[in-house]
Amino acid sequence: MTGALHTGLILFSFVVVCESEPTHAGPDRVGESHGKSKLVHLTSHWAFQLANDSLAFSSADRFCRGQFTSLATLEQSEDQEGVLELLRQNGHHSPIWVRDPSKAASGAVVLSKQYMQFSALSFPKESREGFARVNMSFPTLSSVSVCVRVQWNPEWNEVSTIFSYAAPVFTNEFQLRGQVDVQGRILLALIIHGKHLPYKASFPNDGAWHHICVTWLQSSGHWAIYVDGDRKDMGSATDSSRNIYGDGIFILGQDQDSFGGNFTEPFFGNITDLNVWNMSLESRHIHALNACSPITPEVLFSWNLAYLSSHPMVKEVQVLFFCPAVHQQMELQGCRTLLGWSDQLPLFGLTDCSDPLLFICRSRRERYLKMKQMTDSQNSQPTTFMKHLMKLSNKTQAVLGQQPSGLSSLAEASALLDSSVQALEDTQQEGLQPIDMVSIIQLLSLAADVPAQPLNEVTNHSRDMVQDLSQHFISVAASVISEDNALKWQAIKEVVNGPMDVVKSIDRMVTSLSTRLMAETDHLIIHRPNIKVELQRLQEGSRGFSFCGPETEKHTKLDCISVPHQKIQDLHNNGFLQLTLVNTWYGSLWPLFNPEENITMVPTVTDGSQRYLGTVLGSSVISTTVMGDNQPVSTAVRFQLQHRVQNPTGTVYDPVCAFWDFDLTPEAGGWWNTKGCDVVSKHYGYTVCSCNHTTNFALLLQVYEAQRSPENEKALQVLTFIGCGVSLCGLLFTFILFITVGIPKSDRTTVHKNLIVALGIAELLLMCSDWASANEAACFVVTALLHLFFMASFSWMLVEGLLLWSKVVSVNISEDRRMKLYYIIGWGLPVLIVGVTLAVSVDEYKADDHCWLNVKTDTIWAFVGPVIFVLAVNIVVLCRVVMVTVSSARRRAKMLSPSSASKMQTFDLTWAVTRPVLILLPVLGLTWLCGVLVHLSVVVAYIFIALNALQGLYIFFVYAVYNSEVRNAIKRIKEKRKALSFTNCSQPTSFLPCQRAPVTSWGRSPPTPSSPETSETSGPPSSTYTSLVIKNGSFIKESFVSFSITPASGNQVVQLTGFKPSGCYAANGVDPDTQ
């Protein structure tokens, strides 16, 4: 095999190469790779690939990730059927690696072959009283080492004491405590001579067994904490003036607030293998103990349950676990394997993670087929970049000819990256093809996983090689995520997870090599046109550090990120001696995300003022990682990012602070998340954010259609308030007129009154809703009342339509029965709707920021649904009324004379259509149809507010001012008052006593017997009278003469009375001024 072809196989050893496309959902044997065959089984959704290369668990996991797949989990029935069929047809019955979906990707390494069984003590969570006491007398100790194996209860998150030693003269003499941090790790801290040392050493809160050792030496005050064989924390800031007092009490699982009692801060979990030495053990001793190997130093106390007395709640249990090998760490339970099948169900087990086993990678069917298609094309006709790379790699053939399990050394990765950089430079004009980008992404993932040398083995040559590797790594990554490759990223989106795969590889590489990169410097910058990487070591007392992207002429505000000074100080106070910030800026990622693929998010603007169009990535990506004593530490950060996306005409953006969460939908490589991030301030062109953790950050811009400017919003609010006030006044005056003027009682006026009451109360509540929004309880009550009375308003609008229909189409229902039905519809139906809505969705009833129904849930349909029904019914009613009116107008037109028939017919038909529409619009609620079109234009919003806010005023004019019944009733009242005024103000001129007589005005109809005037005569009830009123020009202006002829006891008496409207004076010539 030639060197060129071998290089191609190295780059594509992580791609399934098929000789022909499978035509059925069965296993397909594919091309040979290093003499090892692979099998593929396709199901309806997934592709399962069995690699016949037996690898350790970690190598198998990297192999699958290099193919943009993952180890099979067998959680779904389709997965189980696919894997079972693949193994059955291949005749494979040995265990294979599978992934445990309940755990994150494991960095598992070698386990020793030694199984160990221990008698352990279980401290249950059901009781806080559990403890165990060591029954021996301890001497005075000038040095001490304590080792113990601990299995922490993952459900316990409070401070716990693993062991405490108290002397008669001093209780907090020597103690080991633990607590869970925000990242889910167990942090450990020592108390020596009462001094509490910082929580720093840690292990994952994974429910696994962990080996913990603590050492202390009085002569130097030096102390150390080891976890699983590695030193996690150390220092010398202890009181070295005295030894640890003797004759003390050693307690497991409790803190001693007094000598041997007052237990607090209990431990929950399992403890075993406690050993105590009266010396400070060396690191080599700790490694041997971690590997379950015996050591020569004589032990002061060795684990033996016979020498322990415990609380009744503490139980003895037997545990079996692996012991890790020297100089290596891993989860002690081992790695998950598929052992076999029972009744078509998988049987799982745990196996030494270093054992070489077969494994199965799972990917989406479409991804596998697309990868196969691209691979076949590359094999038949290599691209220009691939040809140059194969040519350049001839001089490094010895390095490239390795097994497909990955790159085994930094030298191999550096050589391959160097060749890739040269090939990229040689083919700069031709550019990369999509399949080239897939190969480079795989190469970057492999190079990021190369194990680094131990720091004590680093030489000048290896240090230079690390520098070259990092420079070449960033150069290759920058070429792949260049903005020029945006269309090519769309071409490979079915194969790779996206550009964030490259970001993840850069993160892994830089953090892995940060110690080597910073060996001889405190500040390092790697800069490419679209990537900037900066490593900065912070000394104690530093004021923090701010990292910014490169300066540009176009943008005056830079993309920057910083860790607040107080957070840096807190890390130093927690015992971290050396802090290193790893910051990265990516300036060309946002064009690589397809703008047509909307990022699913809940809109932040929910008041209906703007129509939500979608969410896009709208900034550069910036990240920071804090390395505390070479361990990643999470802390709060603050950053500002420019808005990179230009606003198209007619749209506005609302920024949202977000980060890329690789654990969210891991099958797709992660997704955007906003948890723990908040917007600090928004500015023109950039936004300032804060997040409570470290990762890769960006701005997501929610796109809205620009409909209303702030000026329009303010104007609409003012117009709504004014319109509601005017409408409320109109409704109030209409209701008063209906009550006071004595309109004859009818079902039509009764319906009008109920509609006015419901609509008036609803508008009054609407005007007061803004004041109630400050109080949650008051706002909820106002929301329910608004719902009730607006619902009642529409119910009575429905009744108006039904009443009108009964007038147009004859309905044989009595008036009493009809009104009972109307009341049930008008008031009973709204109460029922509101009551059911509150009972079903009381927690989601009200909106978050104002007093109205929640439009984000289905609650809003409890209002919108009935309204749509009412409007639909009333539209039908209106159409029927128009048809009847037009028919009547045509009949009237036929009765006209032939000369004017055609001219009058056009006018009558037009008025026949217009008049009912104008009259019925306010009471049928049809103006609310404009609400459906409000989002189309701000002009429609103004029209909608004008029509509905002034609905009450419209009702006042149509049903009060221009209502013939109301006008006739008012006219009758005026006539009665005028008649009463005339008779009350008249006085007699004769000697006869003044008698009030009814007044009859010539030219007008005489008063009806039911009028009040007829009951106010002075004669007996049986008397008859005649009254005349004559205007006489010889009298003073506006003087009247009243003749009253009243028969009394057979004698007719004629009475003449003269009066003025301004007062009552005697007609005998007396001057009124003298009275």
Side-chain angles (χ1 to χ4, degrees):
M1 186 179 291
T2 63
L5 182 57
H6 208 157
T7 301
L9 286 176
I10 286 293
L11 290 175
F12 295 105
S13 60
F14 306 97
V15 181
V16 177
V17 182
C18 300
E19 295 296 337
S20 60
E21 182 160 335
T23 58
H24 61 282
D28 299 280
R29 190 167 298 276
V30 298
E32 299 295 323
S33 175
H34 298 280
K36 301 295 181 72
S37 63
K38 299 178 183 179
L39 292 174
V40 177
H41 177 77
L42 300 180
T43 65
S44 58
H45 298 95
W46 302 101
F48 297 92
Q49 309 168 43
L50 173 63
N52 282 342
D53 293 302
S54 297
L55 302 175
F57 182 86
S58 58
S59 299
D61 185 57
R62 286 197 300 267
F63 182 93
C64 291
R65 284 193 286 110
Q67 287 186 296
F68 311 108
T69 63
S70 61
L71 279 175
T73 60
L74 306 186
E75 290 301 305
Q76 304 296 327
S77 59
E78 185 177 355
D79 295 352
Q80 297 174 9
E81 294 171 1
V83 170
L84 177 60
E85 181 66 17
L86 178 60
L87 295 177
R88 184 184 64 80
Q89 296 194 17
N90 190 42
H92 185 83
H93 302 287
S94 301
I96 62 171
W97 294 125
V98 292
R99 183 168 59 89
D100 188 350
S102 63
K103 297 183 179 180
S106 174
V109 291
V110 179
L111 280 175
S112 73
K113 284 296 183 182
Q114 184 180 9
Y115 289 87
M116 296 294 294
Q117 185 172 15
F118 288 86
S119 296
L121 293 179
S122 177
F123 296 79
K125 193 177 179 182
E126 289 74 21
S127 174
R128 300 176 64 93
E129 306 299 326
F131 72 95
R133 175 174 175 173
V134 178
N135 297 325
M136 70 165 291
S137 178
F138 286 88
T140 300
L141 300 173
S142 60
S143 59
V144 66
S145 297
V146 180
C147 292
V148 64
R149 297 187 187 272
V150 174
Q151 188 180 38
W152 192 284
N153 189 332
E155 298 178 358
W156 183 247
N157 297 320
E158 298 182 13
V159 176
S160 299
T161 301
I162 298 174
F163 67 79
S164 63
Y165 176 80
V169 296
F170 199 91
T171 54
N172 292 326
E173 189 70 352
F174 195 73
Q175 187 179 132
L176 178 63
R177 302 153 61 91
Q179 69 174 10
V180 181
D181 70 349
V182 293
Q183 302 178 46
R185 301 176 304 168
I186 308 298
L187 301 180
L188 300 174
L190 270 175
I191 296 180
I192 304 175
H193 297 326
K195 180 176 181 179
H196 199 305
L197 300 173
Y199 287 100
K200 182 177 176 183
S202 67
F203 61 90
N205 186 15
D206 51 9
W209 284 97
H210 293 277
H211 186 253
I212 303 172
C213 287
V214 295
T215 64
W216 174 75
L217 183 62
Q218 180 268 334
S219 60
S220 61
H222 183 272
W223 58 270
I225 301 178
Y226 296 82
V227 177
D228 294 332
D230 283 353
R231 185 169 58 195
K232 294 292 188 178
D233 196 8
M234 59 179 293
S236 58
T238 62
D239 182 13
S240 59
S241 61
R242 68 176 180 86
N243 299 328
I244 292 178
Y245 292 120
D247 300 324
I249 297 177
F250 196 105
I251 297 293
L252 285 174
Q254 290 283 2
D255 173 33
Q256 304 177 59
D257 280 352
S258 63
F259 183 60
N262 289 338
F263 297 142
T264 59
E265 300 172 354
F267 168 85
F268 297 114
N270 299 323
I271 293 179
T272 188
D273 198 21
L274 172 68
N275 296 278
V276 183
W277 294 262
N278 57 353
M279 64 172 294
S280 178
L281 297 179
E282 300 175 9
S283 295
R284 60 187 179 90
H285 298 141
I286 305 298
H287 287 303
L289 290 168
N290 185 47
C292 306
S293 300
I295 60 174
T296 55
E298 185 176 355
V299 65
L300 182 63
F301 172 80
S302 181
W303 179 251
N304 190 335
L305 294 184
Y307 295 99
L308 294 175
S309 58
S310 59
H311 188 273
M313 290 299 296
V314 177
K315 304 299 182 182
E316 178 183 348
V317 295
Q318 298 297 317
V319 293
L320 178 67
F321 56 86
F322 293 104
C323 288
V326 179
H327 303 301
Q328 293 177 324
Q329 293 176 276
M330 68 157 307
E331 292 179 301
L332 299 182
Q333 295 94 332
C335 296
R336 198 182 201 194
T337 54
L338 174 64
L339 300 178
W341 303 84
S342 175
D343 297 331
Q344 304 297 315
L345 296 176
L347 298 177
F348 299 109
L350 297 175
T351 304
D352 187 330
C353 294
S354 64
D355 285 350
L357 298 179
L358 296 180
F359 55 95
I360 293 178
C361 299
R362 187 191 72 164
S363 65
R364 292 195 303 271
R365 177 189 176 99
E366 295 78 9
R367 174 174 288 184
Y368 163 75
L369 295 177
K370 182 67 174 179
M371 178 70 84
K372 174 187 176 298
Q373 178 186 359
M374 298 175 69
T375 304
D376 290 343
S377 175
Q378 181 75 308
N379 288 341
S380 61
Q381 188 176 0
T383 62
T384 304
F385 168 78
M386 187 57 63
K387 291 177 181 178
H388 278 74
L389 183 58
M390 289 193 246
K391 180 179 178 180
L392 291 168
S393 64
N394 280 336
K395 56 188 177 183
T396 57
Q397 175 61 34
V399 176
L400 293 173
Q402 303 292 332
Q403 292 297 322
S405 56
L407 302 175
S408 59
S409 67
L410 290 175
E412 181 182 357
S414 180
L416 192 52
L417 287 170
D418 183 33
S419 299
S420 300
V421 171
Q422 295 182 50
L424 287 169
E425 293 175 353
D426 295 340
T427 59
Q428 188 172 6
Q429 292 184 350
E430 294 83 353
L432 292 171
Q433 298 302 313
I435 186 60
D436 298 332
M437 296 176 58
V438 174
S439 303
I440 293 176
I441 295 169
Q442 291 177 322
L443 171 61
L444 293 174
S445 179
L446 289 173
D449 288 330
V450 173
Q453 287 177 289
L455 194 58
N456 55 3
E457 299 179 12
V458 173
T459 63
N460 291 334
H461 173 71
S462 62
R463 189 177 296 112
D464 294 339
M465 184 176 58
V466 169
Q467 294 286 344
D468 293 340
L469 184 147
S470 60
Q471 296 283 346
H472 294 154
F473 193 104
I474 299 302
S475 297
V476 173
S479 66
V480 175
I481 61 174
S482 171
E483 188 174 346
D484 298 334
N485 294 327
L487 295 178
K488 298 167 188 174
W489 276 101
Q490 300 306 315
I492 63 175
K493 66 180 181 180
E494 296 179 7
V495 177
V496 302
N497 293 323
M500 296 306 292
D501 275 353
V502 178
V503 172
K504 186 174 183 179
S505 296
I506 294 176
D507 289 345
R508 296 205 313 269
M509 185 276 296
V510 176
T511 54
S512 175
L513 300 181
S514 61
T515 304
R516 282 81 184 166
L517 293 172
M518 302 295 290
E520 295 184 346
T521 182
D522 289 338
H523 190 209
L524 175 66
I525 295 178
I526 305 175
H527 192 191
R528 298 296 180 268
N530 56 344
I531 299 179
K532 181 180 179 181
V533 179
E534 188 169 23
L535 289 85
Q536 175 73 40
R537 180 172 293 143
L538 300 181
Q539 303 298 331
E540 190 170 1
S542 60
R543 298 293 300 175
F545 179 76
S546 180
F547 165 76
C548 295
E551 298 182 7
T552 58
E553 297 180 358
K554 184 177 180 180
H555 298 94
T556 56
K557 288 290 183 180
L558 300 179
D559 298 324
C560 296
I561 189 169
S562 63
V563 180
H565 168 67
Q566 185 58 48
K567 298 299 180 181
I568 296 292
Q569 193 61 41
D570 291 343
L571 293 175
H572 282 300
N573 294 338
N574 288 336
F576 289 101
L577 303 178
Q578 188 179 85
L579 295 177
T580 302
L581 297 183
V582 180
N583 302 290
T584 316
W585 171 86
Y586 305 93
S588 61
L589 286 179
W590 62 270
L592 307 183
F593 285 84
N594 186 1
E596 298 179 358
E597 294 180 358
N598 181 38
I599 300 173
T600 305
M601 289 191 68
V602 177
T604 56
V605 179
T606 58
D607 59 359
S609 62
Q610 297 172 338
R611 188 161 66 94
Y612 175 66
L613 301 179
T615 302
V616 297
L617 175 62
S619 71
S620 302
V621 175
I622 197 166
S623 71
T624 189
T625 301
V626 181
M627 304 293 292
D629 293 343
N630 303 324
Q631 299 180 34
V633 180
S634 184
T635 186
V637 297
R638 185 184 180 99
F639 61 91
Q640 71 173 33
L641 293 171
Q642 307 166 55
H643 302 169
R644 299 276 178 172
V645 180
Q646 298 298 324
N647 288 36
T649 304
T651 62
V652 294
Y653 290 130
D654 187 52
V656 178
C657 304
F659 66 96
W660 187 266
D661 189 349
F662 289 102
D663 295 327
L664 200 63
T665 62
E667 189 72 32
W671 197 242
W672 295 108
N673 197 343
T674 60
K675 185 177 181 180
C677 292
D678 298 296
V679 174
V680 176
S681 59
K682 301 176 184 179
H683 306 272
Y684 180 77
Y686 71 98
T687 299
V688 180
C689 303
S690 66
C691 292
N692 60 7
H693 56 276
T694 55
T695 184
N696 299 282
F697 303 101
L699 288 180
L700 302 181
L701 300 182
Q702 294 194 334
V703 187
Y704 297 89
E705 183 179 6
Q707 297 184 26
R708 307 172 194 167
S709 64
E711 294 78 12
N712 282 328
E713 283 294 325
K714 186 65 176 178
L716 289 172
Q717 291 178 1
V718 173
L719 287 177
T720 300
F721 190 84
I722 295 175
C724 285
V726 174
S727 178
L728 187 61
C729 292
L731 292 171
L732 182 62
F733 291 152
T734 306
F735 187 78
I736 292 174
L737 284 175
F738 276 17
I739 296 297
T740 58
V741 300
I743 298 177
K745 184 179 180 181
S746 67
D747 54 358
R748 186 160 56 91
T749 55
T750 302
V751 172
H752 286 345
K753 292 175 184 177
N754 282 276
L755 173 60
I756 291 170
V757 170
L759 192 59
I761 296 176
E763 292 188 350
L764 179 63
L765 288 169
L766 183 63
M767 295 175 66
C768 301
S769 61
D770 285 342
W771 299 327
S773 60
N775 185 286
E776 187 71 19
C779 190
F780 187 90
V781 172
V782 169
T783 299
L785 292 176
L786 278 172
H787 188 195
L788 174 64
F789 284 101
F790 269 117
M791 200 69 261
S793 301
F794 278 96
S795 297
W796 282 107
M797 292 176 194
L798 175 63
V799 171
E800 292 274 6
L802 297 177
L803 179 63
L804 192 60
W805 181 268
S806 68
K807 303 296 183 182
V808 176
V809 179
S810 177
V811 178
N812 189 19
I813 302 178
S814 65
E815 183 174 339
D816 290 340
R817 291 178 58 190
R818 189 166 55 205
M819 282 309 303
K820 290 179 180 179
L821 177 63
Y822 290 164
Y823 275 114
I824 292 174
I825 296 175
W827 293 111
L829 189 61
V831 171
L832 178 64
I833 292 174
V834 174
V836 171
T837 306
L838 286 172
V840 172
S841 58
V842 64
D843 295 332
E844 300 177 347
Y845 185 72
K846 188 184 77 67
D848 295 332
D849 50 356
H850 57 279
C851 302
W852 183 234
L853 300 178
N854 192 344
V855 297
K856 296 180 181 179
T857 63
D858 293 336
T859 305
I860 189 63
W861 287 102
F863 177 75
V864 175
V867 167
I868 293 176
F869 174 76
V870 170
L871 296 181
V873 171
N874 284 351
I875 287 174
V876 174
V877 172
L878 181 62
C879 292
R880 179 63 175 166
V881 170
V882 170
M883 291 172 60
V884 171
T885 308
V886 170
S887 178
S888 300
R890 285 177 176 174
R891 287 196 300 269
R892 286 196 303 271
K894 291 180 181 179
M895 299 173 62
L896 296 175
S897 61
S899 59
S900 59
S902 60
K903 183 182 302 183
M904 291 300 295
Q905 184 178 11
T906 302
F907 173 79
D908 284 350
L909 289 178
T910 303
W911 180 243
V913 174
T914 306
R915 186 173 182 274
V917 171
L918 293 177
I919 293 175
L920 297 178
L921 273 179
V923 294
L924 297 184
L926 299 182
T927 54
W928 283 74
L929 289 172
C930 296
V932 181
L933 308 176
V934 162
H935 66 279
L936 297 179
S937 171
V938 69
V939 176
V940 179
Y942 279 105
I943 295 174
F944 174 70
I945 288 178
L947 290 176
N948 290 280
L950 302 179
Q951 186 177 10
L953 186 63
Y954 194 73
I955 289 176
F956 173 69
F957 281 114
V958 174
Y959 292 94
V961 176
Y962 295 104
N963 188 330
S964 59
E965 289 185 354
V966 175
R967 298 177 71 177
N968 289 337
I970 294 174
K971 194 175 295 183
R972 287 195 299 270
I973 292 174
K974 288 182 179 180
E975 291 174 358
K976 293 175 184 178
R977 289 180 177 177
K978 184 181 294 184
L980 288 175
S981 175
F982 291 163
T983 57
N984 288 340
C985 296
S986 61
Q987 291 184 359
T989 57
S990 65
F991 62 90
L992 294 176
C994 182
Q995 300 181 8
R996 293 182 181 178
V999 179
T1000 302
S1001 177
W1002 290 349
R1004 294 182 181 178
S1005 302
T1008 62
S1010 60
S1011 63
E1013 289 87 349
T1014 59
S1015 62
E1016 296 184 6
T1017 60
S1018 58
S1022 60
S1023 301
T1024 60
Y1025 59 85
T1026 301
S1027 179
L1028 300 177
V1029 179
I1030 306 173
K1031 279 190 176 182
N1032 194 323
S1034 62
F1035 284 87
I1036 302 175
K1037 186 178 180 180
E1038 293 187 13
S1039 297
F1040 292 86
V1041 176
S1042 176
F1043 293 92
S1044 181
I1045 303 174
T1046 305
S1049 303
N1051 298 322
Q1052 195 174 47
V1053 179
V1054 179
Q1055 176 180 316
L1056 176 64
T1057 304
F1059 63 89
K1060 286 185 176 182
S1062 57
C1064 294
Y1065 310 117
N1068 53 11
V1070 180
D1071 189 355
D1073 295 330
T1074 62
Q1075 300 299 318

